[in-house]
Amino acid sequence: MILTVIVLYLAVVLSVGLLAHRRSRGTGEDFYVASRSIGPFILLMTLFGTNMTAFSILGASGEAYREGVLVYALMGSSSALIVPLVFYFVGTRMWWLGKRHGYLTQVQFFRDRYGSEALAVGLFAVLVILLLPYVLIGVKGGGDALAAVTGGPGVGLPSWVGSLAVCSVIFIYVTFGGMRSTAWVNTFQTTVFMVVGAVAFLVITRSYGGLAEAMEQVRRSVPQLVMVGQDRHTLLTMASYLLVPLSVGVFPHIFSHWLSADHAKSFKTTIVLYPLCIVVVWVPSVALGVIGNIDHPQPFAGPILVQLILENSGGVLAGLLAAGIFAAIMSSLDSQTLAVGTMFTQDIVRPYAFGGELPEQKQVLYSRIFIVLFLAAAFVISQITTRSIFSLGVWSLSGYAGLFPLVVAALYWRRSSATGALAALVTTAVLWTVLLVRSQSVEGVYTIAGSGVMPVVLIVAGSVTALVIGSLARPALDPAAVERFFPPAGRKSREIGLRMALGAPKAGISKLVLGQGLRPAGWGLAMGFVLAYLPARRASRIDPVAALRAE
Amino acid sequence: MPTHDPPRPSPPSPRTYPRWTIALIAMALILHLNYWLWDHDGIVMGLPVNFLYHVLLSLLLSGVMLLLVRRAWPAYLDDEGPE
């Protein structure tokens, strides 16, 4: 029964993907960004689905089982706040630039904006490397989910079956239909995992006598799970988690969805409804994880959500749950795969192997080849690696968040320079690697010097500092060249014209413009220092005796 | 550089993003920290109090976003004429 539901589900996914393919116009732009034709509803569903991964369903409920309702505050709530703001401030402007200058990838924009090949190649490498652990989570998650739903280790299907199924289905519709198939399929999948979450939530809470009764039972047995105030989770942790979702401003797979929008106003629906979508998916996930404590005292090995479903409902719901998990996984994996295929072709093959001259049909062919190779590699690596990669997920996000200042500077700070951007890129890469290595020797969640400050804070602060210092250390880029990347000044240029007409000296105008450029830089520096100072001060106050005893 | 001003549907705003947007976002950030309910363990409407708080905050955020896209939508974005 479970398997029938899953096979049916995958068949529907494939048909939606192939149906979208029939609308294809056969051009490169159609393959990469669906001819920039996606409307508000599909944009919302595909962007949201791309952001929800296996973690949002399995990981969130597992974390909530261990840590309690705090997980919603740390992860769901911070996404509901930060992600739509990033779409509003960054997504729309990237879309505007993409349409204006015909970009298909982030690297194309950065190469143009700063005129630096070193930055372009470095950025390409970092973006792709950070994507790998994220992709592996999906491939492995698909295998683990199928194995768990069909009976667990030894009894159910071996994990490679699910991984292979996920990779094969994605391979078919992404190579065929490119962005349009991806967007359509994601819309379907997002609907599926929203509905499945709601159904699972209703069925399970009912069998515990309703939500209120279930929560009451948890409060009686493990009271700290219904509170946020646990020792380790200080205000600092709460604040530092706000930086993690900044990563959506840097994800290559989110970028290509932005570019696929038909008009800027199509973003409005996504921006307004995003927080509601978070509620729909995260509330069931977190609540069910917490409720899992009633019948399963900690620690519980394996996905708690799958366990609850298997105990409280029949085969159809278990099959649907697996389909829902597949939906969450595949709606991210397809976009990531497409983005990598696009980047390899547009950022490396086209400029370096063909000097920019490559017919569109050939470009699409190369992208398809890369998509196949990338999926095959992801599948093989997922089978040979034994370590838990779930924990690498938040690291992947932290790395991307470290590049966020670079995106903001490129879009909003005229005075930023290639040197600054490169400095930020290198700083992010170095800090990320150092902190990742250090975290290996720590049990549980790694925070800076045990202070509650997440590594992401140090990475972002370092990146901002490097960006500002690096930019100010070099002469500014030619203002005329930079102006192409900013909205027509309208009022400001009129103001300057007026001042000049009234006889304002040139030096005065330069000072005015320079002052306006330096102000954000000052803010950035100040913020960077505060962010770096807080953990440092906390670290210096650690009681050595208590710290050693904690070992 | 365009030599003529594009037609604007609404009275032009002096900045791409008005100052109140920053104040609004700062308020949302402060509300997010929820320092005041941390140790409450009450259950209201079936949800632990501070869980419910964050869920309500998410709903409120939709309203915040609505204000942003309605009242502070940058005019240049809708200007789709040739460069």
Side-chain angles (χ1 to χ4, degrees), chain A residues 72 77 88 93 219 228-229 235 263 272 412, chain B residues 17 38-39 41 46 50 54 58 62 72 76 80:
Chain A
Y72 183 82
S77 190
Y88 174 73
R93 195 170 277 210
R219 176 164 69 173
V228 173
L235 194 61
H263 304 288
V272 173
Y412 285 96
Chain B
Y17 303 98
W38 277 21
D39 290 321
D41 66 348
N50 43 56
H54 275 280
S58 299
S62 256
Y76 75 90
E80 290 186 25

mmCIF file with all atom_site columns, all heavy atoms in Angstrom, chain A residues 72 77 88 93 219 228-229 235 263 272 412, chain B residues 17 38-39 41 46 50 54 58 62 72 76 80:
data_model
loop_
_atom_site.group_PDB
_atom_site.id
_atom_site.type_symbol
_atom_site.label_atom_id
_atom_site.label_alt_id
_atom_site.label_comp_id
_atom_site.label_asym_id
_atom_site.label_entity_id
_atom_site.label_seq_id
_atom_site.pdbx_PDB_ins_code
_atom_site.Cartn_x
_atom_site.Cartn_y
_atom_site.Cartn_z
_atom_site.occupancy
_atom_site.B_iso_or_equiv
_atom_site.pdbx_formal_charge
_atom_site.auth_seq_id
_atom_site.auth_comp_id
_atom_site.auth_asym_id
_atom_site.auth_atom_id
_atom_site.pdbx_PDB_model_num
ATOM 1   N N   . TYR A 1 72  ? 10.484 26.202 16.838  1.00 0.00 ? 72  TYR A N   1
ATOM 2   C CA  . TYR A 1 72  ? 9.712  27.078 15.947  1.00 0.00 ? 72  TYR A CA  1
ATOM 3   C C   . TYR A 1 72  ? 10.240 28.514 16.027  1.00 0.00 ? 72  TYR A C   1
ATOM 4   O O   . TYR A 1 72  ? 10.402 29.192 15.012  1.00 0.00 ? 72  TYR A O   1
ATOM 5   C CB  . TYR A 1 72  ? 8.210  27.056 16.274  1.00 0.00 ? 72  TYR A CB  1
ATOM 6   C CG  . TYR A 1 72  ? 7.427  27.902 15.302  1.00 0.00 ? 72  TYR A CG  1
ATOM 7   C CD1 . TYR A 1 72  ? 7.069  27.403 14.062  1.00 0.00 ? 72  TYR A CD1 1
ATOM 8   C CD2 . TYR A 1 72  ? 7.107  29.229 15.593  1.00 0.00 ? 72  TYR A CD2 1
ATOM 9   C CE1 . TYR A 1 72  ? 6.403  28.184 13.135  1.00 0.00 ? 72  TYR A CE1 1
ATOM 10  C CE2 . TYR A 1 72  ? 6.438  30.029 14.678  1.00 0.00 ? 72  TYR A CE2 1
ATOM 11  C CZ  . TYR A 1 72  ? 6.094  29.493 13.452  1.00 0.00 ? 72  TYR A CZ  1
ATOM 12  O OH  . TYR A 1 72  ? 5.448  30.273 12.524  1.00 0.00 ? 72  TYR A OH  1
ATOM 13  N N   . SER A 1 77  ? 10.101 30.820 12.876  1.00 0.00 ? 77  SER A N   1
ATOM 14  C CA  . SER A 1 77  ? 9.780  32.231 13.075  1.00 0.00 ? 77  SER A CA  1
ATOM 15  C C   . SER A 1 77  ? 10.823 33.147 12.435  1.00 0.00 ? 77  SER A C   1
ATOM 16  O O   . SER A 1 77  ? 10.480 34.173 11.854  1.00 0.00 ? 77  SER A O   1
ATOM 17  C CB  . SER A 1 77  ? 9.675  32.499 14.566  1.00 0.00 ? 77  SER A CB  1
ATOM 18  O OG  . SER A 1 77  ? 9.157  33.760 14.814  1.00 0.00 ? 77  SER A OG  1
ATOM 19  N N   . TYR A 1 88  ? 12.070 40.977 -0.708  1.00 0.00 ? 88  TYR A N   1
ATOM 20  C CA  . TYR A 1 88  ? 11.655 42.363 -0.940  1.00 0.00 ? 88  TYR A CA  1
ATOM 21  C C   . TYR A 1 88  ? 12.844 43.260 -1.291  1.00 0.00 ? 88  TYR A C   1
ATOM 22  O O   . TYR A 1 88  ? 12.788 44.033 -2.242  1.00 0.00 ? 88  TYR A O   1
ATOM 23  C CB  . TYR A 1 88  ? 10.939 42.857 0.316   1.00 0.00 ? 88  TYR A CB  1
ATOM 24  C CG  . TYR A 1 88  ? 10.560 44.319 0.344   1.00 0.00 ? 88  TYR A CG  1
ATOM 25  C CD1 . TYR A 1 88  ? 9.519  44.817 -0.433  1.00 0.00 ? 88  TYR A CD1 1
ATOM 26  C CD2 . TYR A 1 88  ? 11.225 45.204 1.183   1.00 0.00 ? 88  TYR A CD2 1
ATOM 27  C CE1 . TYR A 1 88  ? 9.161  46.155 -0.382  1.00 0.00 ? 88  TYR A CE1 1
ATOM 28  C CE2 . TYR A 1 88  ? 10.869 46.546 1.250   1.00 0.00 ? 88  TYR A CE2 1
ATOM 29  C CZ  . TYR A 1 88  ? 9.840  47.015 0.456   1.00 0.00 ? 88  TYR A CZ  1
ATOM 30  O OH  . TYR A 1 88  ? 9.492  48.334 0.518   1.00 0.00 ? 88  TYR A OH  1
ATOM 31  N N   . ARG A 1 93  ? 15.212 43.302 -6.740  1.00 0.00 ? 93  ARG A N   1
ATOM 32  C CA  . ARG A 1 93  ? 16.251 44.069 -7.434  1.00 0.00 ? 93  ARG A CA  1
ATOM 33  C C   . ARG A 1 93  ? 17.097 43.162 -8.324  1.00 0.00 ? 93  ARG A C   1
ATOM 34  O O   . ARG A 1 93  ? 17.494 43.549 -9.431  1.00 0.00 ? 93  ARG A O   1
ATOM 35  C CB  . ARG A 1 93  ? 17.122 44.810 -6.425  1.00 0.00 ? 93  ARG A CB  1
ATOM 36  C CG  . ARG A 1 93  ? 17.950 45.869 -7.101  1.00 0.00 ? 93  ARG A CG  1
ATOM 37  C CD  . ARG A 1 93  ? 18.641 46.787 -6.135  1.00 0.00 ? 93  ARG A CD  1
ATOM 38  N NE  . ARG A 1 93  ? 17.775 47.862 -5.676  1.00 0.00 ? 93  ARG A NE  1
ATOM 39  C CZ  . ARG A 1 93  ? 18.233 49.063 -5.314  1.00 0.00 ? 93  ARG A CZ  1
ATOM 40  N NH1 . ARG A 1 93  ? 19.527 49.311 -5.362  1.00 0.00 ? 93  ARG A NH1 1
ATOM 41  N NH2 . ARG A 1 93  ? 17.416 49.986 -4.888  1.00 0.00 ? 93  ARG A NH2 1
ATOM 42  N N   . ARG A 1 219 ? 3.568  18.782 29.031  1.00 0.00 ? 219 ARG A N   1
ATOM 43  C CA  . ARG A 1 219 ? 3.955  19.701 30.096  1.00 0.00 ? 219 ARG A CA  1
ATOM 44  C C   . ARG A 1 219 ? 4.118  18.966 31.422  1.00 0.00 ? 219 ARG A C   1
ATOM 45  O O   . ARG A 1 219 ? 5.013  19.263 32.205  1.00 0.00 ? 219 ARG A O   1
ATOM 46  C CB  . ARG A 1 219 ? 2.911  20.811 30.250  1.00 0.00 ? 219 ARG A CB  1
ATOM 47  C CG  . ARG A 1 219 ? 3.252  21.731 31.421  1.00 0.00 ? 219 ARG A CG  1
ATOM 48  C CD  . ARG A 1 219 ? 2.507  23.013 31.387  1.00 0.00 ? 219 ARG A CD  1
ATOM 49  N NE  . ARG A 1 219 ? 1.085  22.821 31.642  1.00 0.00 ? 219 ARG A NE  1
ATOM 50  C CZ  . ARG A 1 219 ? 0.238  23.839 31.801  1.00 0.00 ? 219 ARG A CZ  1
ATOM 51  N NH1 . ARG A 1 219 ? 0.685  25.077 31.694  1.00 0.00 ? 219 ARG A NH1 1
ATOM 52  N NH2 . ARG A 1 219 ? -1.024 23.624 32.028  1.00 0.00 ? 219 ARG A NH2 1
ATOM 53  N N   . VAL A 1 228 ? 10.579 28.238 26.276  1.00 0.00 ? 228 VAL A N   1
ATOM 54  C CA  . VAL A 1 228 ? 11.713 28.581 25.444  1.00 0.00 ? 228 VAL A CA  1
ATOM 55  C C   . VAL A 1 228 ? 12.957 28.771 26.302  1.00 0.00 ? 228 VAL A C   1
ATOM 56  O O   . VAL A 1 228 ? 14.076 28.572 25.864  1.00 0.00 ? 228 VAL A O   1
ATOM 57  C CB  . VAL A 1 228 ? 11.413 29.855 24.625  1.00 0.00 ? 228 VAL A CB  1
ATOM 58  C CG1 . VAL A 1 228 ? 12.628 30.340 23.871  1.00 0.00 ? 228 VAL A CG1 1
ATOM 59  C CG2 . VAL A 1 228 ? 10.290 29.560 23.657  1.00 0.00 ? 228 VAL A CG2 1
ATOM 60  N N   . GLY A 1 229 ? 12.749 29.107 27.555  1.00 0.00 ? 229 GLY A N   1
ATOM 61  C CA  . GLY A 1 229 ? 13.856 29.519 28.419  1.00 0.00 ? 229 GLY A CA  1
ATOM 62  C C   . GLY A 1 229 ? 14.749 28.406 28.915  1.00 0.00 ? 229 GLY A C   1
ATOM 63  O O   . GLY A 1 229 ? 14.773 28.091 30.087  1.00 0.00 ? 229 GLY A O   1
ATOM 64  N N   . LEU A 1 235 ? 19.465 34.785 24.737  1.00 0.00 ? 235 LEU A N   1
ATOM 65  C CA  . LEU A 1 235 ? 19.044 35.805 23.787  1.00 0.00 ? 235 LEU A CA  1
ATOM 66  C C   . LEU A 1 235 ? 19.974 35.824 22.582  1.00 0.00 ? 235 LEU A C   1
ATOM 67  O O   . LEU A 1 235 ? 19.571 36.057 21.452  1.00 0.00 ? 235 LEU A O   1
ATOM 68  C CB  . LEU A 1 235 ? 19.075 37.158 24.499  1.00 0.00 ? 235 LEU A CB  1
ATOM 69  C CG  . LEU A 1 235 ? 18.380 38.320 23.819  1.00 0.00 ? 235 LEU A CG  1
ATOM 70  C CD1 . LEU A 1 235 ? 16.904 38.027 23.656  1.00 0.00 ? 235 LEU A CD1 1
ATOM 71  C CD2 . LEU A 1 235 ? 18.594 39.592 24.615  1.00 0.00 ? 235 LEU A CD2 1
ATOM 72  N N   . HIS A 1 263 ? 6.870  39.612 -13.837 1.00 0.00 ? 263 HIS A N   1
ATOM 73  C CA  . HIS A 1 263 ? 6.928  41.035 -13.490 1.00 0.00 ? 263 HIS A CA  1
ATOM 74  C C   . HIS A 1 263 ? 7.390  41.163 -12.037 1.00 0.00 ? 263 HIS A C   1
ATOM 75  O O   . HIS A 1 263 ? 7.232  40.229 -11.257 1.00 0.00 ? 263 HIS A O   1
ATOM 76  C CB  . HIS A 1 263 ? 5.547  41.687 -13.593 1.00 0.00 ? 263 HIS A CB  1
ATOM 77  C CG  . HIS A 1 263 ? 4.912  41.528 -14.928 1.00 0.00 ? 263 HIS A CG  1
ATOM 78  N ND1 . HIS A 1 263 ? 5.357  42.213 -16.044 1.00 0.00 ? 263 HIS A ND1 1
ATOM 79  C CD2 . HIS A 1 263 ? 3.886  40.751 -15.349 1.00 0.00 ? 263 HIS A CD2 1
ATOM 80  C CE1 . HIS A 1 263 ? 4.624  41.866 -17.080 1.00 0.00 ? 263 HIS A CE1 1
ATOM 81  N NE2 . HIS A 1 263 ? 3.735  40.967 -16.701 1.00 0.00 ? 263 HIS A NE2 1
ATOM 82  N N   . VAL A 1 272 ? 4.094  38.566 0.802   1.00 0.00 ? 272 VAL A N   1
ATOM 83  C CA  . VAL A 1 272 ? 3.034  38.675 1.809   1.00 0.00 ? 272 VAL A CA  1
ATOM 84  C C   . VAL A 1 272 ? 2.662  37.303 2.389   1.00 0.00 ? 272 VAL A C   1
ATOM 85  O O   . VAL A 1 272 ? 2.448  37.162 3.594   1.00 0.00 ? 272 VAL A O   1
ATOM 86  C CB  . VAL A 1 272 ? 1.789  39.362 1.201   1.00 0.00 ? 272 VAL A CB  1
ATOM 87  C CG1 . VAL A 1 272 ? 0.623  39.328 2.170   1.00 0.00 ? 272 VAL A CG1 1
ATOM 88  C CG2 . VAL A 1 272 ? 2.124  40.801 0.825   1.00 0.00 ? 272 VAL A CG2 1
ATOM 89  N N   . TYR A 1 412 ? 23.462 47.722 -3.191  1.00 0.00 ? 412 TYR A N   1
ATOM 90  C CA  . TYR A 1 412 ? 23.107 48.970 -2.515  1.00 0.00 ? 412 TYR A CA  1
ATOM 91  C C   . TYR A 1 412 ? 24.287 49.900 -2.248  1.00 0.00 ? 412 TYR A C   1
ATOM 92  O O   . TYR A 1 412 ? 24.080 51.041 -1.861  1.00 0.00 ? 412 TYR A O   1
ATOM 93  C CB  . TYR A 1 412 ? 22.402 48.661 -1.182  1.00 0.00 ? 412 TYR A CB  1
ATOM 94  C CG  . TYR A 1 412 ? 20.986 48.188 -1.371  1.00 0.00 ? 412 TYR A CG  1
ATOM 95  C CD1 . TYR A 1 412 ? 20.670 46.833 -1.395  1.00 0.00 ? 412 TYR A CD1 1
ATOM 96  C CD2 . TYR A 1 412 ? 19.962 49.105 -1.557  1.00 0.00 ? 412 TYR A CD2 1
ATOM 97  C CE1 . TYR A 1 412 ? 19.373 46.401 -1.590  1.00 0.00 ? 412 TYR A CE1 1
ATOM 98  C CE2 . TYR A 1 412 ? 18.660 48.689 -1.754  1.00 0.00 ? 412 TYR A CE2 1
ATOM 99  C CZ  . TYR A 1 412 ? 18.372 47.340 -1.764  1.00 0.00 ? 412 TYR A CZ  1
ATOM 100 O OH  . TYR A 1 412 ? 17.084 46.926 -1.968  1.00 0.00 ? 412 TYR A OH  1
ATOM 101 N N   . TYR B 2 17  ? 13.148 53.400 -0.353  1.00 0.00 ? 17  TYR B N   1
ATOM 102 C CA  . TYR B 2 17  ? 12.454 52.796 0.776   1.00 0.00 ? 17  TYR B CA  1
ATOM 103 C C   . TYR B 2 17  ? 12.276 53.868 1.850   1.00 0.00 ? 17  TYR B C   1
ATOM 104 O O   . TYR B 2 17  ? 13.272 54.346 2.400   1.00 0.00 ? 17  TYR B O   1
ATOM 105 C CB  . TYR B 2 17  ? 13.254 51.622 1.341   1.00 0.00 ? 17  TYR B CB  1
ATOM 106 C CG  . TYR B 2 17  ? 13.548 50.556 0.307   1.00 0.00 ? 17  TYR B CG  1
ATOM 107 C CD1 . TYR B 2 17  ? 14.776 50.519 -0.341  1.00 0.00 ? 17  TYR B CD1 1
ATOM 108 C CD2 . TYR B 2 17  ? 12.594 49.610 -0.026  1.00 0.00 ? 17  TYR B CD2 1
ATOM 109 C CE1 . TYR B 2 17  ? 15.037 49.556 -1.312  1.00 0.00 ? 17  TYR B CE1 1
ATOM 110 C CE2 . TYR B 2 17  ? 12.848 48.649 -0.997  1.00 0.00 ? 17  TYR B CE2 1
ATOM 111 C CZ  . TYR B 2 17  ? 14.070 48.628 -1.629  1.00 0.00 ? 17  TYR B CZ  1
ATOM 112 O OH  . TYR B 2 17  ? 14.319 47.679 -2.586  1.00 0.00 ? 17  TYR B OH  1
ATOM 113 N N   . TRP B 2 38  ? 9.788  33.871 27.849  1.00 0.00 ? 38  TRP B N   1
ATOM 114 C CA  . TRP B 2 38  ? 10.629 32.686 27.795  1.00 0.00 ? 38  TRP B CA  1
ATOM 115 C C   . TRP B 2 38  ? 10.283 31.594 28.792  1.00 0.00 ? 38  TRP B C   1
ATOM 116 O O   . TRP B 2 38  ? 10.295 30.428 28.467  1.00 0.00 ? 38  TRP B O   1
ATOM 117 C CB  . TRP B 2 38  ? 12.093 33.086 27.985  1.00 0.00 ? 38  TRP B CB  1
ATOM 118 C CG  . TRP B 2 38  ? 12.674 33.539 26.705  1.00 0.00 ? 38  TRP B CG  1
ATOM 119 C CD1 . TRP B 2 38  ? 11.977 33.980 25.618  1.00 0.00 ? 38  TRP B CD1 1
ATOM 120 C CD2 . TRP B 2 38  ? 14.053 33.596 26.364  1.00 0.00 ? 38  TRP B CD2 1
ATOM 121 N NE1 . TRP B 2 38  ? 12.845 34.314 24.615  1.00 0.00 ? 38  TRP B NE1 1
ATOM 122 C CE2 . TRP B 2 38  ? 14.119 34.086 25.048  1.00 0.00 ? 38  TRP B CE2 1
ATOM 123 C CE3 . TRP B 2 38  ? 15.221 33.284 27.048  1.00 0.00 ? 38  TRP B CE3 1
ATOM 124 C CZ2 . TRP B 2 38  ? 15.326 34.266 24.394  1.00 0.00 ? 38  TRP B CZ2 1
ATOM 125 C CZ3 . TRP B 2 38  ? 16.416 33.466 26.398  1.00 0.00 ? 38  TRP B CZ3 1
ATOM 126 C CH2 . TRP B 2 38  ? 16.469 33.955 25.087  1.00 0.00 ? 38  TRP B CH2 1
ATOM 127 N N   . ASP B 2 39  ? 9.997  31.989 30.025  1.00 0.00 ? 39  ASP B N   1
ATOM 128 C CA  . ASP B 2 39  ? 9.835  30.958 31.050  1.00 0.00 ? 39  ASP B CA  1
ATOM 129 C C   . ASP B 2 39  ? 8.383  30.623 31.347  1.00 0.00 ? 39  ASP B C   1
ATOM 130 O O   . ASP B 2 39  ? 8.100  29.887 32.271  1.00 0.00 ? 39  ASP B O   1
ATOM 131 C CB  . ASP B 2 39  ? 10.563 31.381 32.324  1.00 0.00 ? 39  ASP B CB  1
ATOM 132 C CG  . ASP B 2 39  ? 12.064 31.322 32.102  1.00 0.00 ? 39  ASP B CG  1
ATOM 133 O OD1 . ASP B 2 39  ? 12.501 30.383 31.424  1.00 0.00 ? 39  ASP B OD1 1
ATOM 134 O OD2 . ASP B 2 39  ? 12.774 32.222 32.568  1.00 0.00 ? 39  ASP B OD2 1
ATOM 135 N N   . ASP B 2 41  ? 5.046  28.643 30.999  1.00 0.00 ? 41  ASP B N   1
ATOM 136 C CA  . ASP B 2 41  ? 4.757  27.302 30.492  1.00 0.00 ? 41  ASP B CA  1
ATOM 137 C C   . ASP B 2 41  ? 3.251  27.087 30.324  1.00 0.00 ? 41  ASP B C   1
ATOM 138 O O   . ASP B 2 41  ? 2.795  25.958 30.233  1.00 0.00 ? 41  ASP B O   1
ATOM 139 C CB  . ASP B 2 41  ? 5.383  26.236 31.399  1.00 0.00 ? 41  ASP B CB  1
ATOM 140 C CG  . ASP B 2 41  ? 4.739  26.214 32.768  1.00 0.00 ? 41  ASP B CG  1
ATOM 141 O OD1 . ASP B 2 41  ? 3.987  27.169 33.068  1.00 0.00 ? 41  ASP B OD1 1
ATOM 142 O OD2 . ASP B 2 41  ? 4.968  25.256 33.517  1.00 0.00 ? 41  ASP B OD2 1
ATOM 143 N N   . GLY B 2 46  ? -4.497 25.431 23.030  1.00 0.00 ? 46  GLY B N   1
ATOM 144 C CA  . GLY B 2 46  ? -3.843 24.177 22.672  1.00 0.00 ? 46  GLY B CA  1
ATOM 145 C C   . GLY B 2 46  ? -2.355 24.283 22.418  1.00 0.00 ? 46  GLY B C   1
ATOM 146 O O   . GLY B 2 46  ? -1.670 23.291 22.241  1.00 0.00 ? 46  GLY B O   1
ATOM 147 N N   . ASN B 2 50  ? 4.505  30.464 24.435  1.00 0.00 ? 50  ASN B N   1
ATOM 148 C CA  . ASN B 2 50  ? 5.502  31.137 23.603  1.00 0.00 ? 50  ASN B CA  1
ATOM 149 C C   . ASN B 2 50  ? 5.561  30.570 22.185  1.00 0.00 ? 50  ASN B C   1
ATOM 150 O O   . ASN B 2 50  ? 6.063  31.218 21.285  1.00 0.00 ? 50  ASN B O   1
ATOM 151 C CB  . ASN B 2 50  ? 6.874  31.143 24.266  1.00 0.00 ? 50  ASN B CB  1
ATOM 152 C CG  . ASN B 2 50  ? 7.183  29.828 24.887  1.00 0.00 ? 50  ASN B CG  1
ATOM 153 O OD1 . ASN B 2 50  ? 7.144  28.820 24.195  1.00 0.00 ? 50  ASN B OD1 1
ATOM 154 N ND2 . ASN B 2 50  ? 7.444  29.800 26.188  1.00 0.00 ? 50  ASN B ND2 1
ATOM 155 N N   . HIS B 2 54  ? 4.820  33.059 18.828  1.00 0.00 ? 54  HIS B N   1
ATOM 156 C CA  . HIS B 2 54  ? 5.564  33.130 17.570  1.00 0.00 ? 54  HIS B CA  1
ATOM 157 C C   . HIS B 2 54  ? 4.678  32.847 16.359  1.00 0.00 ? 54  HIS B C   1
ATOM 158 O O   . HIS B 2 54  ? 4.901  33.401 15.288  1.00 0.00 ? 54  HIS B O   1
ATOM 159 C CB  . HIS B 2 54  ? 6.762  32.174 17.600  1.00 0.00 ? 54  HIS B CB  1
ATOM 160 C CG  . HIS B 2 54  ? 7.957  32.805 18.239  1.00 0.00 ? 54  HIS B CG  1
ATOM 161 N ND1 . HIS B 2 54  ? 8.777  33.666 17.561  1.00 0.00 ? 54  HIS B ND1 1
ATOM 162 C CD2 . HIS B 2 54  ? 8.433  32.745 19.500  1.00 0.00 ? 54  HIS B CD2 1
ATOM 163 C CE1 . HIS B 2 54  ? 9.723  34.107 18.378  1.00 0.00 ? 54  HIS B CE1 1
ATOM 164 N NE2 . HIS B 2 54  ? 9.538  33.557 19.554  1.00 0.00 ? 54  HIS B NE2 1
ATOM 165 N N   . SER B 2 58  ? 4.088  35.404 13.344  1.00 0.00 ? 58  SER B N   1
ATOM 166 C CA  . SER B 2 58  ? 4.216  35.082 11.912  1.00 0.00 ? 58  SER B CA  1
ATOM 167 C C   . SER B 2 58  ? 3.019  35.621 11.143  1.00 0.00 ? 58  SER B C   1
ATOM 168 O O   . SER B 2 58  ? 3.163  36.159 10.044  1.00 0.00 ? 58  SER B O   1
ATOM 169 C CB  . SER B 2 58  ? 4.314  33.569 11.703  1.00 0.00 ? 58  SER B CB  1
ATOM 170 O OG  . SER B 2 58  ? 5.452  33.050 12.342  1.00 0.00 ? 58  SER B OG  1
ATOM 171 N N   . SER B 2 62  ? 2.823  38.779 8.103   1.00 0.00 ? 62  SER B N   1
ATOM 172 C CA  . SER B 2 62  ? 2.169  38.865 6.800   1.00 0.00 ? 62  SER B CA  1
ATOM 173 C C   . SER B 2 62  ? 1.593  40.261 6.611   1.00 0.00 ? 62  SER B C   1
ATOM 174 O O   . SER B 2 62  ? 1.670  40.829 5.515   1.00 0.00 ? 62  SER B O   1
ATOM 175 C CB  . SER B 2 62  ? 1.038  37.834 6.717   1.00 0.00 ? 62  SER B CB  1
ATOM 176 O OG  . SER B 2 62  ? 1.447  36.758 5.937   1.00 0.00 ? 62  SER B OG  1
ATOM 177 N N   . ALA B 2 72  ? 5.227  50.787 0.186   1.00 0.00 ? 72  ALA B N   1
ATOM 178 C CA  . ALA B 2 72  ? 6.635  51.126 -0.042  1.00 0.00 ? 72  ALA B CA  1
ATOM 179 C C   . ALA B 2 72  ? 7.211  50.278 -1.172  1.00 0.00 ? 72  ALA B C   1
ATOM 180 O O   . ALA B 2 72  ? 8.304  49.755 -1.079  1.00 0.00 ? 72  ALA B O   1
ATOM 181 C CB  . ALA B 2 72  ? 7.438  50.934 1.243   1.00 0.00 ? 72  ALA B CB  1
ATOM 182 N N   . TYR B 2 76  ? 10.669 52.062 -9.420  1.00 0.00 ? 76  TYR B N   1
ATOM 183 C CA  . TYR B 2 76  ? 11.472 51.669 -10.587 1.00 0.00 ? 76  TYR B CA  1
ATOM 184 C C   . TYR B 2 76  ? 11.194 50.233 -11.018 1.00 0.00 ? 76  TYR B C   1
ATOM 185 O O   . TYR B 2 76  ? 11.364 49.876 -12.178 1.00 0.00 ? 76  TYR B O   1
ATOM 186 C CB  . TYR B 2 76  ? 12.965 51.848 -10.292 1.00 0.00 ? 76  TYR B CB  1
ATOM 187 C CG  . TYR B 2 76  ? 13.563 50.800 -9.386  1.00 0.00 ? 76  TYR B CG  1
ATOM 188 C CD1 . TYR B 2 76  ? 14.111 49.638 -9.905  1.00 0.00 ? 76  TYR B CD1 1
ATOM 189 C CD2 . TYR B 2 76  ? 13.577 50.976 -8.011  1.00 0.00 ? 76  TYR B CD2 1
ATOM 190 C CE1 . TYR B 2 76  ? 14.653 48.668 -9.072  1.00 0.00 ? 76  TYR B CE1 1
ATOM 191 C CE2 . TYR B 2 76  ? 14.115 50.015 -7.174  1.00 0.00 ? 76  TYR B CE2 1
ATOM 192 C CZ  . TYR B 2 76  ? 14.652 48.859 -7.709  1.00 0.00 ? 76  TYR B CZ  1
ATOM 193 O OH  . TYR B 2 76  ? 15.171 47.911 -6.890  1.00 0.00 ? 76  TYR B OH  1
ATOM 194 N N   . GLU B 2 80  ? 8.935  48.963 -16.892 1.00 0.00 ? 80  GLU B N   1
ATOM 195 C CA  . GLU B 2 80  ? 9.555  47.897 -17.681 1.00 0.00 ? 80  GLU B CA  1
ATOM 196 C C   . GLU B 2 80  ? 9.936  48.315 -19.083 1.00 0.00 ? 80  GLU B C   1
ATOM 197 O O   . GLU B 2 80  ? 10.162 47.485 -19.947 1.00 0.00 ? 80  GLU B O   1
ATOM 198 C CB  . GLU B 2 80  ? 8.647  46.670 -17.692 1.00 0.00 ? 80  GLU B CB  1
ATOM 199 C CG  . GLU B 2 80  ? 8.628  46.024 -16.321 1.00 0.00 ? 80  GLU B CG  1
ATOM 200 C CD  . GLU B 2 80  ? 7.860  44.720 -16.301 1.00 0.00 ? 80  GLU B CD  1
ATOM 201 O OE1 . GLU B 2 80  ? 7.755  44.079 -17.348 1.00 0.00 ? 80  GLU B OE1 1
ATOM 202 O OE2 . GLU B 2 80  ? 7.374  44.358 -15.228 1.00 0.00 ? 80  GLU B OE2 1
#
